[in-house]
Amino acid sequence: MDVISLDDPTDAQIGQWHAVLEAVHAGDPAGEPAPAREQTAEHLLGAPHQRLWAAVEGGEAVAVVVLRLPGGPGADRPGEIDIRVHPAHRRRGLGTRLMAVAAEGLRADGRTSVIAQVLAGTPAVPFLESHGFVCVLTLSGLLLRLDDLPPDRVPALVAAGPPGYRLVRWRGSVPDRYADALARAKHAMADLAEYEGLPWNARRVREMADMVAKRGDDLYTVAAVQGSTVAGFTEIVVPAEAPERAAQYDTAVVPEHRGRRLGIWVKAAMLRWLATERPEVREIETDNVGDNAHMLAVNEELGFRRQRESREYQAAARDLPSIHRSPL
Ligand SMILES: CC(C)(COP(=O)(O)OP(=O)(O)OC[C@H]1O[C@@H](n2cnc3c(N)ncnc32)[C@H](O)[C@@H]1OP(=O)(O)O)[C@@H](O)C(=O)NCCC(=O)NCCS
């Protein structure tokens, strides 16, 4: 078995990578939907700041790993790791071997920690725990099927907006006049900000929007504004390749504006906008932090239903396996 770096993959290598993802999906159809081949190609070629390796046997890729290095070389943020092993090749140490290779990349970039997002109840949990990862966040996966929404729910919620606020919305990067205010509102997601250990500022807000645009996906934002303050906002991303299922990104209400139903208001306004702007969207998926009862209640009132639980795991880079100690 060889591990090869695929930082500039050929078309044939993209095909092999995609075949591993398809096999992983076929082995666990309840997991993430299998991407289309073009999506795989886009993620491998288009996403910035990532490194790729494949474990190859008999000329075929049997396991793959993506190491994302958000913020670019040497940034003071955790790396993100995603390992996929073909179901026919598991429990032979391939996952551990790719973890060791990615760990070298992580340490070489000066990162001190790494995170991985996985589904509860899958082999990923004992795998990561066997490598010293600890669960730092539990997320409930929720899905809203727009066809199941009673027709009067969204108009009623939009009409019930609190006095003193107005709705603004934009597609793509934030307009200059709201950039700093949006960054301040992103601080409202205190748990997440602390967890990422990095303050939000206008530059980081734009960096996130650029990343979505580079993938070819569309970012939509609806905000509740009072004067020049963004009191609350919600973001949705419609993927280019599979626009039927949009993804909820951040939603937050600034602490001093909480308790006025701004969260549900901006979310309802987003649904109304998407219905005209992107009628092909049929479902919206979202993750809620396990102990965020308030946001769960908002989502359940809107019509989201619980699907699955995912977990974020974290480990210190120095505790990860080394290629010199890896079994293969
Ligand atoms: C999780 C995954 C990457 C593990 O790959 P793998 O090559 O089977 O892992 P390894 O052989 O290196 O396993 C190392 C250790 O992890 C633990 N482990 C791995 N799979 C396990 C399972 N199904 N049940 C219990 N423990 C398991 C064991 O301690 C194992 O050591 P052992 O075989 O000596 O008991 C693989 O199952 C996979 O691709 N799953 C789907 C995608 C995914 O969820 N990826 C995780 C994102 S980081």
Side-chain angles (χ1 to χ4, degrees):
M1 194 272 302
D2 293 316
V3 174
I4 55 170
S5 164
L6 292 184
D7 289 338
D8 196 7
T10 64
D11 198 48
Q13 288 170 330
I14 292 170
Q16 289 203 13
W17 188 293
H18 185 66
V20 173
L21 300 190
E22 280 189 323
V24 168
H25 176 73
D28 178 17
E32 286 180 14
R37 194 185 185 286
E38 305 75 61
Q39 269 176 301
T40 303
E42 254 170 45
H43 283 150
L44 298 188
L45 296 171
H49 314 314
Q50 66 179 13
R51 302 208 52 201
L52 312 168
W53 292 270
V56 177
E57 275 182 9
E60 292 293 318
V62 289
V64 296
V65 58
V66 182
L67 173 67
R68 282 182 278 274
L69 298 165
D76 185 20
R77 284 160 70 172
E80 297 165 17
I81 197 168
D82 189 357
I83 300 173
R84 309 285 169 102
V85 178
H86 190 294
H89 297 269
R90 292 193 183 159
R91 298 306 287 274
R92 290 176 36 217
L94 284 176
T96 301
R97 176 64 196 264
L98 288 186
M99 173 78 79
V101 170
E104 294 302 324
L106 187 76
R107 291 187 281 253
D109 193 56
R111 309 265 167 161
T112 53
S113 71
V114 65
I115 55 176
Q117 190 163 327
V118 302
L119 289 178
T122 67
V125 167
F127 171 72
L128 291 176
E129 289 179 351
S130 80
H131 289 303
F133 279 74
V134 292
C135 180
V136 289
L137 208 62
T138 300
L139 301 163
S140 299
L142 307 177
L143 189 71
L144 175 67
R145 291 201 173 84
L146 297 178
D147 294 335
D148 294 348
L149 271 181
D152 51 349
R153 182 171 300 170
V154 168
L157 287 169
V158 174
Y165 297 90
R166 62 195 173 88
L167 290 166
V168 295
R169 63 194 196 191
W170 59 86
R171 179 176 166 176
S173 203
V174 56
D176 287 348
R177 65 182 178 286
Y178 297 124
D180 290 326
L182 180 65
R184 277 193 292 277
K186 290 222 171 206
H187 270 299
M189 302 186 308
D191 296 345
L192 203 59
E194 265 165 37
Y195 165 67
E196 290 183 356
L198 196 78
W200 278 99
N201 54 28
R203 189 183 56 78
R204 190 167 162 219
V205 167
R206 291 198 179 98
E207 184 184 293
M208 179 276 218
D210 287 349
M211 215 169 70
V212 173
K214 272 200 193 109
R215 294 201 308 256
D217 301 342
D218 281 320
L219 170 67
Y220 295 88
T221 306
V222 171
V225 172
Q226 190 178 62
S228 57
T229 301
V230 169
F233 70 94
T234 188
E235 300 167 331
I236 289 275
V237 169
V238 180
E241 294 299 330
E244 330 62 68
R245 183 180 277 202
Q248 176 74 58
Y249 273 39
D250 294 341
T251 299
V253 176
V254 175
E256 48 281 25
H257 295 273
R258 287 185 187 161
R260 294 170 204 172
R261 292 181 59 83
L262 284 172
I264 203 159
W265 191 42
V266 289
K267 282 188 160 227
M270 173 67 84
L271 294 179
R272 184 183 60 174
W273 186 23
L274 284 179
T276 53
E277 184 84 2
R278 299 300 297 264
E280 68 273 41
V281 173
R282 301 316 322 141
E283 294 174 329
I284 298 177
E285 59 180 351
T286 186
D287 283 326
N288 275 173
V289 176
D291 57 3
N292 191 345
H294 182 67
M295 191 49 80
L296 263 173
V298 164
N299 280 329
E300 286 179 346
E301 183 176 345
L302 268 170
F304 280 89
R305 296 289 163 255
R306 288 186 202 221
Q307 298 286 300
R308 65 190 149 68
E309 183 187 298
S310 59
R311 295 177 175 190
E312 275 187 7
Y313 276 88
Q314 187 162 25
R318 63 173 181 278
D319 296 340
L320 294 180
S322 136
I323 31 180
H324 310 296
R325 280 186 274 127
S326 161
L328 293 177

